[in-house]
Amino acid sequence: MILKNTFSKTADDEATKASSYVDDDLLQIDDLFREIFLRLPFRSLVRMKSVCKNWNSIISDLNVNSTAGLFFQYSDVNTCYAYVPFSLDKSKDAPPFVNQINKYIKDSSGIRILQSCNGLMLCRSDRASKNHRKYYICNPTTKEYSTLPRLVGRGGFSRTIRGLNLAFDPSKSPYYKVVCVRELGLCRAKEHQYQFEVYSSETDGGIWRKCGEPFTAQVNFKHGVCWNGAIHWISIICAEKSIYFNPYDKLMMPKVMPTPPVSDGHFSTRNYYFGESHDHLHYIDVCRMVTGFKVYEMKKDYSEWFSKYRVDLSYVVGYYLFSICTVVRGKKEKDSFLVLQVNPGKLIRYNLVCGTFETICEASGSMVQVHHPFTGPKAEFPLQYIESLSRV
């Protein structure tokens, strides 16, 4: 009997060893595939995701986001779209979503894009009434999307939604969170009160959760920027405080951050930019008819804004009016640039380090018309198109 048990134990040990060898071999093969996939172009990876479940899983987990161009949307009878690549190589295909987003997100009222964040886009129904709007998260590179749970007034909540913002950082987590800002009415001090609700793609399973206590603020909730895991809003009144909210923070309350430097105290006559690129938060403040300005960056500890670049566009734009479209930080410092629009319809890429510039698009009409604080065409601010393989 003892001999039999010994043989049985030995056989089990051998089977366990053989299984571990197989697992190790599979891991090594997956590592090899991962190294191969990292060297392939995005379009090839998108097609290869459909080969098998294992390849789909490996490719989806790759953190290979790349800022490729600018996505424009503007209102006609319906919302229209246009794309301008940063590269001067015009042989490259346009991204798959251009003029097709309504085809793969099925919404009879059309689609409007609210935010671009590290490869994912937050969208909503375009022409639906406020009470019937749907919200979506989509990956324009893979044409995948998911519908967010419906936002309804409940438990004393107002139906007024002042802003919706996406928080997503694939280098830290494959999951995203969406922050909804609701207006609750006036408090005793006659100031507007707001409340956060948060949806998590990881844990909430179709539920929006109320976060923290009501608070007051005077910021533009429609234009939030995701950076450092948090959503940031700058004050619409220079004397007021700018705030940020981290949906991953246990405190679940907004925190104060330094208000960006403003030269004359008024936003009405200025051309400003507020955005993020490759883990850097930027702010640009340009007064009317001024061609020299600074690009400010926020320190990681939120202690201050500091001057990162000095820009002189006098020899680039001359006497033309211009708008700042975006700032892009390169993998190498020498590759960092900003994109600006010079009326009419001309987009220029300006190197922030050496001051060289080149035209990346010149079009007539409203094809790439950008919101301009001086001339005022009714178009949306451009959004960065970031190639990504992240799941939604």
Side-chain angles (χ1 to χ4, degrees):
M1 178 67 69
I2 296 175
L3 184 63
K4 183 178 180 181
N5 285 341
T6 302
F7 284 145
S8 176
K9 183 178 180 181
T10 302
D12 289 342
D13 289 344
E14 292 298 325
T16 301
K17 287 181 181 180
S19 176
S20 66
Y21 291 150
V22 171
D23 290 342
D24 289 343
D25 289 342
L26 289 175
L27 287 174
Q28 291 177 5
I29 293 173
D30 286 352
D31 288 341
L32 178 60
F33 279 135
R34 194 171 290 108
E35 290 299 317
I36 294 172
F37 293 154
L38 284 170
R39 290 163 171 77
L40 296 178
F42 264 87
R43 297 305 168 82
S44 298
L45 292 176
V46 172
R47 292 192 294 267
M48 293 170 71
K49 287 184 68 176
S50 61
V51 171
C52 65
K53 291 183 178 180
N54 188 43
W55 282 21
N56 189 333
S57 177
I58 295 172
I59 293 172
S60 296
D61 289 338
L62 295 176
N63 184 20
V64 288
N65 292 8
S66 173
T67 308
L70 282 177
F71 184 51
F72 297 84
Q73 60 182 354
Y74 51 94
S75 298
D76 196 354
V77 177
N78 299 312
T79 299
C80 302
Y81 311 95
Y83 172 72
V84 177
F86 293 141
S87 172
L88 295 178
D89 183 2
K90 304 305 180 184
S91 63
K92 292 185 177 181
D93 295 335
F97 63 78
V98 174
N99 294 324
Q100 297 181 8
I101 195 166
N102 289 328
K103 294 182 180 179
Y104 68 86
I105 299 182
K106 305 297 183 182
D107 192 310
S108 59
S109 68
I111 295 296
R112 177 167 293 276
I113 301 174
L114 303 179
Q115 182 189 356
S116 173
C117 182
N118 290 315
L120 299 185
M121 288 185 171
L122 172 64
C123 311
R124 70 163 172 82
S125 305
D126 188 16
R127 298 182 301 278
S129 64
K130 291 183 178 180
N131 292 337
H132 294 89
R133 284 176 181 170
K134 294 181 180 180
Y135 293 89
Y136 308 92
I137 301 295
C138 80
N139 183 328
T141 304
T142 62
K143 294 186 179 181
E144 297 172 346
Y145 76 96
S146 62
T147 305
L148 295 177
R150 188 180 177 190
L151 279 161
V152 294
R154 65 180 189 278
F157 275 31
S158 165
R159 287 183 178 271
T160 305
I161 296 174
R162 290 304 179 195
L164 230 70
N165 293 275
L166 173 63
F168 176 59
D169 186 349
S171 68
K172 297 179 181 178
S173 171
Y175 304 103
Y176 58 83
K177 294 195 176 187
V178 183
V179 177
C180 173
V181 183
R182 289 186 182 272
E183 183 179 339
L184 303 183
L186 296 175
C187 64
R188 293 180 179 179
K190 303 298 182 181
E191 293 181 298
H192 290 281
Q193 278 191 313
Y194 303 96
Q195 175 79 61
F196 289 129
E197 280 187 88
V198 175
Y199 168 78
S200 171
S201 65
E202 180 181 12
T203 59
D204 286 348
I207 299 175
W208 288 89
R209 300 182 184 276
K210 183 176 74 171
C211 296
E213 299 299 323
F215 64 94
T216 61
Q218 295 194 52
V219 297
N220 181 7
F221 284 117
K222 291 184 179 180
H223 184 48
V225 175
C226 178
W227 172 70
N228 216 15
I231 307 295
H232 302 74
W233 300 276
I234 57 175
S235 173
I236 56 178
I237 301 175
C238 298
E240 295 295 326
K241 297 175 181 178
S242 298
I243 63 172
Y244 67 98
F245 172 68
N246 190 334
Y248 300 93
D249 194 341
K250 294 181 180 179
L251 182 61
M252 288 295 179
M253 288 295 290
K255 297 179 181 179
V256 174
M257 70 174 184
T259 295
V262 177
S263 55
D264 63 6
H266 299 283
F267 278 110
S268 59
T269 59
R270 72 188 338 101
N271 171 7
Y272 78 92
Y273 168 82
F274 180 51
E276 181 272 348
S277 177
H278 294 285
D279 206 26
H280 300 275
L281 185 66
H282 301 112
Y283 177 82
I284 299 175
D285 169 45
V286 183
C287 294
R288 181 188 293 271
M289 303 305 293
V290 173
T291 57
F293 55 86
K294 298 177 182 178
V295 178
Y296 290 96
E297 181 177 344
M298 173 64 77
K299 286 188 174 181
K300 278 282 190 179
D301 61 359
Y302 291 97
S303 59
E304 65 173 341
W305 292 92
F306 66 95
S307 175
K308 178 63 178 178
Y309 304 106
R310 291 178 178 269
V311 177
D312 180 9
L313 298 179
S314 58
Y315 63 98
V316 180
V317 300
Y319 294 102
Y320 285 103
L321 298 177
F322 66 92
S323 287
I324 307 296
C325 294
T326 193
V327 173
V328 178
R329 296 292 284 271
K331 292 182 179 179
K332 298 179 180 179
E333 181 66 16
K334 67 181 181 64
D335 297 327
S336 298
F337 62 91
L338 64 81
V339 176
L340 55 105
Q341 181 199 18
V342 181
N343 286 342
K346 182 178 182 179
L347 295 181
I348 292 176
R349 172 173 170 163
Y350 174 91
N351 188 289
L352 287 165
V353 177
C354 61
T356 58
F357 64 96
E358 53 195 354
T359 300
I360 59 175
C361 178
E362 193 160 11
S364 60
S366 59
M367 191 60 183
V368 293
Q369 200 170 48
V370 184
H371 172 78
H372 199 292
F374 309 142
T375 57
K378 293 183 178 180
E380 302 291 330
F381 283 98
L383 303 167
Q384 287 188 6
Y385 169 55
I386 300 174
E387 294 177 312
S388 169
L389 298 168
S390 300
R391 299 186 181 97
V392 297

